[in-house]
Amino acid sequence: MAEAKEELHLEAFLPYRLSVLDNRVSQALSEIYQERFGLSIPEWRAMAILGRHAPLSSNQVAERGSMDKAKVSRAVARLLERDLISRETDPRDNRLLILKLSQKGRRIYSKIAPLALNWEAELVSCLDAEEQAVLNRIIEKLDARIAQLD
């Protein structure tokens, strides 16, 4: 008897659906910081990470944001050019450069963060409190599972 072939229905495939959702969310949210502040998605992500966790190296920014190191490097270069972040030598290791938001970067971050949080609240407003809690638990479980599979 011939073995039944499983078909991959991309539109129902969870990794694809998550990727499409991520792209749509990122693009919609990016209108806040691209149009108003001239920041790309990687630039904003780097600023958001530094706004919460600085000082960090570029590699640490990439790790925290699960971002490609080359994209982070380009974003950091642009943010340095615009004086939105500063770079200093790590006093414990002269080979390591540490990054943090500049005064100008902190001002922009303090304007974008509330806008982003309001946008997030609007996005999830279609879910009740219980659904939001379940969604957060599901994301945490899937994140833990992918760490096990890696």
Side-chain angles (χ1 to χ4, degrees):
M1 190 175 271
E3 197 174 308
K5 292 183 181 177
E6 288 188 51
E7 288 187 33
L8 175 64
H9 297 277
L10 195 56
E11 62 280 354
F13 186 56
L14 181 62
Y16 174 77
R17 293 176 69 200
L18 291 173
S19 178
V20 168
L21 181 61
D22 171 52
N23 289 336
R24 292 183 69 201
V25 168
S26 291
Q27 286 303 316
L29 180 58
S30 75
E31 292 177 14
I32 291 173
Y33 47 82
Q34 279 184 334
E35 291 177 11
R36 297 183 195 185
F37 300 96
L39 296 168
S40 68
I41 293 170
E43 290 166 356
W44 166 243
R45 286 183 181 169
M47 284 187 68
I49 291 165
L50 291 170
R52 176 144 165 79
H53 301 287
L56 297 172
S57 68
S58 286
N59 285 344
Q60 290 170 318
V61 170
E63 287 170 17
R64 282 194 179 267
S66 295
M67 296 165 58
D68 177 70
K69 289 180 184 180
K71 280 186 182 180
V72 171
S73 179
R74 288 189 296 274
V76 164
R78 286 190 298 269
L79 293 170
L80 285 166
E81 285 174 13
R82 292 183 58 192
D83 190 33
L84 297 177
I85 62 173
S86 63
R87 174 176 56 192
E88 298 172 0
T89 303
D90 188 325
R92 296 166 297 191
D93 183 348
N94 288 334
R95 298 167 297 169
L96 189 61
L97 297 172
I98 54 174
L99 307 168
K100 62 183 180 180
L101 294 179
S102 66
Q103 197 171 39
K104 181 179 175 184
R106 184 139 307 277
R107 279 194 307 273
I108 289 176
Y109 174 82
S110 70
K111 291 177 184 175
I112 297 175
L115 295 172
L117 290 169
N118 287 339
W119 189 91
E120 176 195 35
E122 181 64 29
L123 174 66
V124 299
S125 68
C126 64
L127 305 174
D128 63 34
E130 183 181 336
E131 289 170 325
Q132 289 180 35
V134 169
L135 175 62
N136 285 328
R137 284 196 307 274
I138 289 169
I139 290 170
E140 288 167 6
K141 281 184 166 185
L142 290 174
D143 190 46
R145 182 65 178 148
I146 197 68
Q148 292 173 344
L149 295 174
D150 282 346

